[in-house]
Amino acid sequence: MVVDKQSDEVVDRVFQALADATRRDILARAAVDELSVTALAAGYAMSFAAVQKHVAVLVRAGLVTKRRRGREQLVRTDLRQLEKARALLEQYESLWRHRAAGMERLLAEG
Amino acid sequence: MPVISSEIDERTLTLVFTAEFDAPPMRVWQLWADARQLEQWWGPPTWPASFPAHDFTVGGFSPYVMTGPEGETSAAWLRFTHLDEPNALEFDDGFRGEDGEPDDTMPRMHGRVELESLDGGRTRMVTRMRFDSAEEMEQIVGMGMIEGMTGAMGQIDAILTGDAPPRP
């Protein structure tokens, strides 16, 4: 499998987006319910503009989608990108399953 | 049925892998300490590993080579950063360049293994493997050394079916 450049950049943006606790919290809140940026901002001791910047980082990483309804901007979590990281770890997990099976075989031999 | 659970934390890029073995911790420790035993389980089925040297001391460097189905090779290394026989060990795992030295442009993984003594002379082994970034993780998983073992894994998974707990 060849790792293509495009997907490296996407994965990088996802990881960068997840490195911040506020952004992880926004993801968790917007996963339950579609929330306006105003409603999100009410939960944090920071300015509306700062929250908007966090949301923009999440949008660029593909972790949330934003749509306009009247004056409001509604944010909703889209976890497909995170699922990609999970899928990679699952592949790696199968290597450890194999290793454990090999260890058990050796132990059975005495 | 060695594997009892695995947890994947995609946020911290960590795999937590728990297995139980029917042998005391000191015996399981030997599987890590002895190069001839280590090379029998470390590599994927289609990419067996050989350890021409194995310095199982803190700071010790263990170069290894994996050989693929077409005879291609991939050179890598382990460096042990913590050893507490027979309870815990920590190591870094990376790749080597053509000169045989660690290739700093390639990703590394960090492992911590804990061996816990259970009743009846059994051992629980908890392995935590952490990647530095999602990009590096993708690079390692994408290297093909894992790809080739899907067939063999299918058999193991079949054995485990019904025994493995549901994924969280």
Side-chain angles (χ1 to χ4, degrees), chain A residues 1-5 7-9 11-12 15 18 24-25 27-28 79 82-107 109-110, chain B residues 1-3 6 8-11 13-15 17 21 23 27 31-32 37 40-45 109 125 127 129 131-135 137-138 141-142 146-147 149 153 156-157 160 167:
Chain A
M1 183 178 118
V2 177
V3 182
D4 71 276
K5 192 78 191 115
S7 82
D8 274 3
E9 283 165 12
V11 169
D12 240 17
F15 189 61
L18 290 171
R24 288 198 297 271
D25 194 59
L27 272 186
L79 287 173
L82 210 52
E83 280 163 9
K84 189 177 166 187
R86 161 168 286 269
L88 286 167
L89 279 167
E90 277 174 357
Q91 285 184 51
Y92 185 66
E93 190 249 2
S94 71
L95 173 63
W96 276 94
R97 279 188 182 273
H98 166 73
R99 285 178 176 163
M103 291 172 99
E104 189 179 55
R105 194 181 59 242
L106 278 170
L107 293 171
E109 286 170 6
Chain B
M1 306 292 169
V3 179
S6 63
I8 285 168
D9 187 344
E10 57 270 18
R11 291 187 184 185
L13 300 173
T14 302
L15 168 70
F17 187 86
F21 299 109
R27 175 69 191 97
L31 297 178
W32 289 90
Q37 295 180 58
Q40 288 185 63
W41 62 267
W42 184 259
M109 292 160 277
M125 183 178 84
T127 304
M129 292 303 297
F131 293 84
D132 285 334
S133 75
E135 186 184 13
M137 181 174 75
E138 186 163 65
V141 172
I146 295 173
E147 190 190 26
M149 74 171 146
M153 284 315 307
I156 294 164
D157 281 347
L160 291 169
R167 290 263 169 74

Side-chain angles (χ1 to χ4, degrees), chain A residues 7-87:
Chain A
S7 82
D8 274 3
E9 283 165 12
V10 171
V11 169
D12 240 17
R13 280 202 293 273
V14 170
F15 189 61
Q16 201 187 351
L18 290 171
D20 180 272
T22 302
R23 289 198 287 269
R24 288 198 297 271
D25 194 59
I26 291 174
L27 272 186
R29 289 174 65 198
V32 181
D33 220 347
E34 197 174 35
L35 285 173
S36 69
V37 178
T38 312
L40 281 169
Y44 306 109
M46 62 179 80
S47 68
F48 177 84
V51 173
Q52 211 164 20
K53 275 183 189 163
H54 280 311
V55 169
V57 172
L58 291 168
V59 170
R60 272 202 299 280
L63 288 166
V64 303
T65 55
K66 213 166 70 168
R67 69 181 180 98
R68 190 165 276 285
R69 187 179 66 192
R71 287 185 179 177
E72 286 181 323
Q73 304 172 75
L74 295 174
V75 178
R76 183 194 282 278
T77 298
D78 180 351
L79 287 173
R80 280 174 300 185
Q81 292 286 20
L82 210 52
E83 280 163 9
K84 189 177 166 187
R86 161 168 286 269

